[in-house]
């Protein structure tokens, strides 16, 4: 059984649990079937979309029985947008599934002894928790089946999010529960203004159109940054749009734009022009300021980022005389956050602009015991680096989803720091790395933290201490 199964309908499958990456699991004749967008407890008919020798994937085409754990999704765009795929599951249960994911990954991949996984730290805010959203303008709005079947003509310009796996189709967003403050207002007003004034929306296939992308960033201090990306250098239209935003939203503290004529929407290599206000916004944590410029990374759930950093600092348990390495430091947020309690903090990160920000953040906070270096971790953290710097007492590491390069893990084994605090947004790669570190380290605490309610994503912090 494999490809033959494609498109076959499997009837009355009971969804049993949620596995990694949010996929729900059922069984058919002893074989695992992964199904998207259902809830454990549902009884469904599944159309197979992919058949492999060891598992199948499918979509639910009919729900016979709804799980008692389902709740009513609160967003009108749920099911189409793909942003908050777990809105139909009670938040408490979401948290238990996330914690279970951590347990499963450590059992399946790390296969090392771990203490009981701590209760997950949930997010106090489960709506409007993001400080950054990225919307796309398109002249190819996603139409629902009912709209197509109605035979009517519809407005095809849209400003919203990409449909999952469809780069060229955009769902027009009327209200998004992910970002509060001015976010919904700015997006909807700008769309309305553009439609009323005949300003063109981007055509992703032909690569033409004036309005291309809108990024909105907010902070808990009340500052906000709005960046409009234009797909054509039409000075008149640009002035019209930017003037409109400046007049309508005087509370925006940083109003910027980019003329992006290349194929994709990424902005890292683009010139950002300040139209009004400052070219950065500032977030604050325990009185520390963090400067965020248009290209800077900053954790998108500020409140939970604070909880995450508190956990990391607690695990590090600094007494004031330690040398701390903060690996994958980004804009040095963790490094600066723990600096007051350490003798010295050394941050490494490969995005050079982020390292510039990290240094600025130390400077504006009067921290003079930090050092930051830009470069690929596996090349930076070498014997020469170690010879030229004090040996670490504590290593905090927060790698991207792919986890740490094997050379980096080997270097950590060589460094033999008494403590490693491993922060991860992907428990699978974290478990893989912990298995390698287990040669010299034991797992003392495993603490999941939820940064992204209504998604399957989970952040996990592990405290490793050197075996005696
Ligand atoms: C999960 S983020 C951590 C950010 C930071 N700790 C924070 O909380 O804001 C991972 C960081 O690793 C950086 N990174 C990814 N691959 C890298 C590599 N090979 N060498 C150095 N840094 C890397 C990314 O640019 C990103 O800033």
């Amino acid at each position: 059984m494999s490809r033959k199964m494609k498109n076959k309908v499997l009837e009355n499958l009971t969804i049993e649990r949620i596995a990694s990456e949010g996929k729900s699991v059922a069984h058919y004749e002893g074989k695992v079937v992964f199904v998207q967008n259902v809830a454990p407890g549902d009884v469904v008919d599944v159309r197979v979309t992919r058949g492999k020798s060891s598992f199948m994937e499918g979509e639910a085409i009919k729900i016979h029985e709804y799980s008692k754990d389902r709740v009513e999704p609160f967003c009108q765009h749920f099911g189409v947008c793909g942003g908050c795929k777990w809105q139909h599951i009670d938040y408490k249960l979401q948290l238990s599934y996330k914690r279970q994911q951590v347990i499963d990954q450590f059992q399946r991949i790390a296969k090392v002894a771990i203490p009981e996984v701590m209760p997950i730290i949930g997010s106090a805010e489960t709506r409007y928790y993001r400080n950054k959203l990225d919307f796309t303008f398109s002249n190819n709005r996603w139409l629902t089946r009912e709209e197509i079947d109605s035979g009517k003509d519809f407005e095809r310009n849209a400003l919203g999010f990409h449909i999952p796996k469809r780069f060229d189709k955009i769902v027009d967003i009327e209200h998004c529960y992910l970002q509060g403050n001015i976010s919904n207002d700015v997006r909807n007003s700008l769309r309305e203004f553009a439609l009323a004034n005949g300003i063109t929306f981007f055509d992703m296939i032909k690569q033409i159109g004036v309005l291309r992308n809108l990024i909105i960033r907010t902070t808990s201090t009340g500052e906000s940054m709005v960046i409009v990306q234009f797909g054509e250098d039409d000075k008149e239209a640009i002035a019209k749009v930017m003037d409109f935003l400046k007049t309508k939203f005087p509370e925006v503290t940083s109003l910027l734009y980019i003329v992006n004529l290349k194929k994709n929407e990424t902005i890292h290599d683009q010139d950002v022009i300040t139209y009004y206000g400052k070219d950065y916004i500032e977030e604050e944590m325990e009185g520390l300021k963090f400067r965020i410029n248009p290209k800077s990374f900053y954790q998108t759930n500020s409140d939970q980022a604070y909880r995450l950093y508190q956990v990391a600092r607690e695990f590090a348990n600094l007494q004031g005389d330690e040398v701390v390495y903060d690996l994958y430091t980004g804009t040095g947020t963790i490094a600066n956050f723990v600096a007051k309690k350490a003798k010295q903090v050394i941050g490494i990160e490969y995005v050079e602009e982020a390292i510039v920000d990290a240094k600025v953040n130390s400077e504006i906070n009067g921290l003079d015991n930090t050092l930051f270096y830009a470069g690929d971790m596996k090349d930076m953290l070498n014997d020469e680096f170690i010879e030229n710097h004090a040996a670490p007492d504590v290593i905090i590491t927060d790698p991207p989803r792919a986890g740490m390069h094997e050379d980096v893990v080997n270097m950590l084994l060589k460094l033999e720091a008494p403590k490693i605090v491993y922060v991860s947004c992907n428990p699978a790669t974290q478990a893989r790395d912990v298995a390698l570190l287990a040669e010299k380290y034991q797992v003392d605490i495993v603490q999941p933290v939820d940064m992204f309610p209504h998604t399957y994503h989970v952040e996990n912090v592990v405290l490793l201490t050197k075996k005696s």
Side-chain angles (χ1 to χ4, degrees):
M1 164 161 67
S2 59
R3 285 209 188 96
K4 274 193 296 187
M5 293 300 289
K6 193 158 178 194
N7 288 323
K8 191 176 157 123
V9 173
L10 315 175
E11 290 179 356
N12 285 302
L13 299 192
T14 300
I15 304 299
E16 297 153 23
R17 63 186 179 88
I18 292 198
S20 63
E21 312 221 311
K23 289 177 186 161
S24 296
V25 176
H27 280 87
Y28 176 77
E29 293 184 350
K31 188 178 283 194
V32 167
V33 186
F34 293 114
V35 193
Q36 296 279 11
N37 305 332
V38 288
D42 285 348
V43 180
V44 295
D45 288 348
V46 174
R47 190 176 64 80
V48 177
T49 51
R50 191 168 167 224
K52 289 266 176 199
S53 54
S54 55
F55 67 90
M56 288 181 273
E57 284 178 358
E59 58 181 6
I61 52 168
K62 183 168 181 185
I63 301 187
H64 294 285
E65 259 177 59
Y66 284 96
S67 161
K68 63 174 178 22
D69 297 327
R70 273 185 177 254
V71 291
E72 197 54 44
F74 47 82
C75 177
Q76 72 200 84
H77 305 295
F78 175 76
V80 183
C81 158
C84 312
K85 287 198 166 141
W86 275 12
Q87 266 183 37
H88 62 303
I89 300 173
D90 178 68
Y91 185 56
K92 278 208 184 87
L93 271 167
Q94 292 181 21
L95 291 177
S96 76
Y97 295 148
K98 291 184 191 214
R99 179 173 176 267
Q100 191 59 43
Q101 269 189 52
V102 172
I103 297 169
D104 290 350
Q105 302 292 25
F106 272 79
Q107 276 172 357
R108 200 170 60 82
I109 301 169
K111 296 190 176 109
V112 295
I114 58 165
E116 194 184 351
V117 171
M118 299 291 284
I120 183 168
I121 300 174
S123 180
E125 302 299 334
T126 58
R127 298 183 191 182
Y128 306 116
Y129 60 81
R130 280 185 73 104
N131 56 32
K132 181 179 178 218
L133 280 182
D134 211 311
F135 302 102
T136 300
F137 289 90
S138 165
N139 65 353
N140 198 4
R141 179 169 81 82
W142 175 258
L143 295 179
T144 60
R145 174 58 37 210
E146 296 81 66
E147 283 174 326
I148 295 168
D149 290 347
S150 75
K152 290 185 195 151
D153 277 342
F154 289 94
E155 172 61 61
R156 293 307 301 270
N157 287 315
L159 174 55
F161 297 125
H162 287 269
I163 294 282
K165 297 186 187 151
R166 293 296 304 267
F167 89 99
D168 61 331
K169 288 273 191 296
I170 296 295
V171 55
D172 201 41
I173 297 292
E174 269 180 49
H175 189 92
C176 178
Y177 287 89
L178 282 172
Q179 189 176 33
N181 298 326
I182 54 164
S183 183
N184 282 300
D185 232 8
V186 169
R187 188 197 55 251
N188 291 341
S189 306
L190 180 53
R191 180 203 294 113
E192 206 179 300
F193 177 80
L195 290 174
N197 287 277
I199 300 170
T200 51
F201 287 41
F202 204 64
D203 183 318
M204 282 170 226
I205 310 282
K206 295 190 187 136
Q207 294 276 306
I208 50 170
V210 172
L211 284 163
R212 188 164 187 182
N213 170 287
L214 171 71
I215 299 169
I216 303 174
R217 302 185 82 157
T218 47
T219 65
S220 59
T221 57
E223 294 195 327
S224 51
M225 174 181 282
V226 173
I227 311 168
V228 185
Q229 267 197 71
F230 294 95
E232 290 175 14
D233 195 5
D234 178 339
K235 296 202 169 41
E236 200 182 315
I238 292 173
K240 233 176 171 176
V241 167
M242 300 312 287
D243 262 353
F244 165 74
L245 288 172
K246 184 178 165 205
T247 314
K248 172 109 185 158
F249 298 100
E251 65 271 47
V252 170
T253 52
S254 175
L255 183 57
L256 315 172
Y257 73 91
I258 295 168
V259 178
N260 179 358
L261 305 177
K262 65 178 180 141
K263 281 238 154 70
N264 63 50
E265 284 176 12
T266 56
I267 66 166
H268 63 95
D269 52 357
Q270 298 292 297
D271 285 336
V272 184
I273 299 150
T274 306
Y275 193 74
Y276 172 75
K278 300 182 295 181
D279 60 357
Y280 62 85
I281 48 176
E282 267 179 6
E283 186 51 279
E284 223 179 276
M285 228 180 246
E286 292 185 356
L288 287 177
K289 288 186 167 46
F290 294 100
R291 193 168 288 192
I292 303 167
N293 73 46
K295 297 178 187 174
S296 306
F297 170 82
Y298 192 82
Q299 295 278 2
T300 44
N301 181 342
S302 307
D303 290 352
Q304 285 303 92
Y306 178 41
R307 288 294 293 123
L308 186 75
Y309 297 156
Q310 282 176 317
V311 170
R313 186 174 60 188
E314 207 178 293
F315 286 7
N317 191 22
L318 301 173
Q319 305 301 312
D321 54 357
E322 295 93 343
V323 172
V324 180
Y325 284 11
D326 180 29
L327 307 184
Y328 308 91
T329 191
T331 49
T333 324
I334 297 181
N336 285 308
F337 187 70
V338 302
K340 269 194 197 137
K341 297 209 162 176
K343 185 164 109 193
Q344 185 176 50
V345 188
I346 299 173
I348 307 176
E349 153 71 40
Y350 76 0
V351 177
E352 283 185 25
E353 291 89 345
I355 286 299
V356 173
D357 289 346
K359 289 179 181 168
V360 169
N361 284 333
S362 284
E363 208 179 297
I364 60 176
N365 289 297
L367 299 166
D368 56 8
N369 60 340
T370 57
L371 283 174
F372 291 103
Y373 298 99
D376 193 321
M377 197 64 61
K378 69 177 183 345
D379 306 326
M380 293 295 295
L381 203 61
N382 57 21
D383 290 327
E384 197 190 329
F385 186 93
I386 306 306
E387 267 166 40
N388 292 327
H389 295 86
D393 301 293
V394 178
I395 293 175
I396 299 174
T397 182
D398 183 8
R401 285 189 70 71
M404 293 192 281
H405 190 281
E406 210 178 321
D407 292 354
V408 178
V409 177
N410 287 333
M411 192 42 115
L412 297 196
L413 286 168
K414 197 165 164 185
L415 277 167
E416 296 192 338
K419 239 181 225 179
I420 299 176
V421 180
Y422 190 152
V423 183
S424 167
C425 53
N426 184 352
T429 53
Q430 184 184 40
R432 178 202 66 201
D433 294 347
V434 166
L436 298 172
L437 291 166
E439 185 189 322
K440 290 192 180 166
Y441 286 88
Q442 66 186 37
V443 180
D444 278 355
I445 317 180
V446 181
Q447 175 65 72
V449 180
D450 184 26
M451 308 282 283
F452 303 108
H454 313 303
T455 74
Y456 66 80
H457 293 284
V458 59
E459 199 87 11
N460 192 44
V461 192
V462 169
L463 172 63
L464 298 156
T465 52
K466 176 121 194 315
K467 289 178 187 166
S468 41

